[in-house]
Amino acid sequence: MSPRDDIPNLRGQDGEGSVQVHQDADMKIEGAKVFSVYGKGGIGKSTTSSNLSAAFAAMGKRVLQIGCDPKHDSTFTLTGQLQPTVIDILKSVDFHAEELRPEDFVTVGWGGVKCVEAGGPPAGTGCGGYVVGQTVKLLKQHHMLDDADVVIFDVLGDVVCGGFAAPLQHADRALIVTANDFDSIYAMNRIIAAVQAKSANYKVRLAGCVANRSKDTDEVDRYCDVVGFNRIAHMPDIDAIRRSRLKKKTLFEMELDEEVQMVRDIYTGLAQHLWNGTDPLAPAPMEDRDIFELLGFD
């Protein structure tokens, strides 16, 4: 037998050239609107996700936020502290999930938002996709998804492998957080390509992008015009957002002033827009050389 005879032929079944396995049909999230938040590392995905969760909760929606990063810092502004990860909790019971109760891995945060930190394998080992799958499986087993109106996956960093793209198997819409600079837009272009690959076999479609911590949006808008994408929100670089992270609170818990009110209104408008439904976008990502030539020139 040739060493290559054992390699499964999955070409095109989960994105062109993919060697991933398909999502188990039993793991499908039903009844809730599911969003995955992506973007370059450090761009503000957790800030965006947590404030979106708070905005949905303020609208009266039942929200579940799932952090998909080994740093497990997605939900700390909703709960006021870092939460233990699902993978660490499973490890503590030798992966006997039947021994766990929902309160062992789900924490209720501000506005009733249910918060889960999936965690991840140690650096350089394992696969983040496995961790996401185990987290969804655990939530399904304990019926924690049955009464959710909104589920938000907050996904770490750039999409560099199928593991990072695993939440796209569950999502209705993918939201990309970017900034008005080359590196952020370059990462967004790669994320668009990943979502487009997944959309061939899953229901996920792109919702649009949020220009975060940016005074201007000219470079973001220039890119969107070329590829056929939409900027659906602009979060200016203001101090209230920084202060909220230091206070371990969302903007919806902060003492109200003009700046805080402005940012709350932006997040509330974004949540309402996503809840009402966005057109399923199908932008055409650019080649690396082309995006290099596009950005940063008059």
Side-chain angles (χ1 to χ4, degrees):
M1 177 182 291
S2 165
R4 297 186 61 83
D5 289 344
D6 292 333
I7 298 176
N9 179 18
L10 297 176
R11 181 176 177 83
Q13 293 183 27
D14 197 12
E16 188 66 18
S18 174
V19 292
Q20 295 180 70
V21 295
H22 273 281
Q23 172 193 357
D24 186 336
D26 292 339
M27 293 300 101
K28 183 179 180 181
I29 298 175
E30 298 178 315
K33 293 179 185 282
V34 185
F35 304 100
S36 288
V37 180
Y38 283 88
K40 185 176 79 71
I43 198 63
K45 296 179 297 297
S46 294
T47 300
T48 301
S49 298
S50 296
N51 281 291
L52 261 181
S53 289
F56 279 122
M59 291 163 52
K61 309 304 180 186
R62 298 167 297 179
V63 186
L64 171 66
Q65 181 170 320
I66 303 172
C68 306
D69 191 322
K71 297 196 305 292
H72 60 105
D73 61 348
S74 173
T75 61
F76 80 86
T77 57
L78 288 161
T79 65
Q81 58 187 346
L82 292 175
Q83 299 301 318
T85 70
V86 167
I87 203 70
D88 286 340
I89 293 167
L90 282 170
K91 191 183 300 183
S92 71
V93 295
D94 200 24
F95 291 89
H96 293 295
E98 68 277 4
E99 297 183 17
L100 298 179
R101 303 164 299 171
E103 55 266 33
D104 292 328
F105 57 93
V106 178
T107 303
V108 179
W110 185 89
V113 176
K114 294 177 181 177
C115 301
V116 179
E117 294 285 354
T125 67
C127 176
Y130 168 80
V131 177
V132 171
Q134 289 299 303
T135 298
V136 173
K137 181 178 180 180
L138 196 58
L139 290 166
K140 293 274 283 189
Q141 288 174 342
H142 288 272
H143 305 286
M144 298 304 295
L145 294 166
D146 293 353
D147 61 352
D149 299 313
V150 175
V151 177
I152 295 178
F153 287 94
D154 174 17
V155 190
L156 73 165
D158 193 4
V159 179
V160 295
C161 76
F164 293 152
L168 296 174
Q169 296 180 352
H170 303 283
D172 300 297
R173 291 289 186 269
L175 180 68
I176 303 176
V177 182
T178 188
N180 201 50
D181 60 60
F182 177 85
D183 291 330
S184 302
I185 299 171
Y186 187 86
M188 175 165 63
N189 189 66
R190 290 174 56 85
I191 294 164
I192 286 174
V195 177
Q196 294 295 73
K198 283 290 183 184
S199 68
N201 294 288
Y202 295 97
K203 63 182 178 178
V204 64
R205 298 295 184 270
L206 286 153
C209 66
V210 175
N212 192 48
R213 296 193 309 227
S214 298
K215 177 182 177 182
D216 301 310
T217 64
D218 54 323
E219 299 294 348
V220 173
D221 294 339
R222 188 205 305 243
Y223 171 82
C224 288
D225 287 344
V226 170
V227 302
F229 202 37
N230 288 347
R231 174 175 56 81
I232 56 177
H234 173 209
M235 201 65 59
D237 188 9
I238 59 176
D239 196 55
I241 298 174
R242 182 191 66 84
R243 287 188 283 113
S244 74
R245 299 286 288 179
L246 291 173
K247 290 180 177 293
K248 303 177 180 65
K249 296 179 178 180
T250 68
L251 272 299
F252 291 79
E253 287 183 271
M254 292 283 285
E255 183 177 342
L256 194 61
D257 59 28
E258 184 177 348
E259 208 176 59
V260 170
Q261 184 64 62
M262 180 185 72
V263 183
R264 281 190 196 177
D265 290 344
I266 295 173
Y267 279 119
T268 299
L270 177 59
Q272 190 66 63
H273 180 61
L274 292 171
W275 179 260
N276 290 342
T278 61
D279 293 332
L281 301 177
M286 302 178 70
E287 295 293 334
D288 291 349
R289 288 183 179 274
D290 294 334
I291 194 171
F292 185 83
E293 292 296 325
L294 172 72
L295 298 174
F297 299 97
D298 292 329

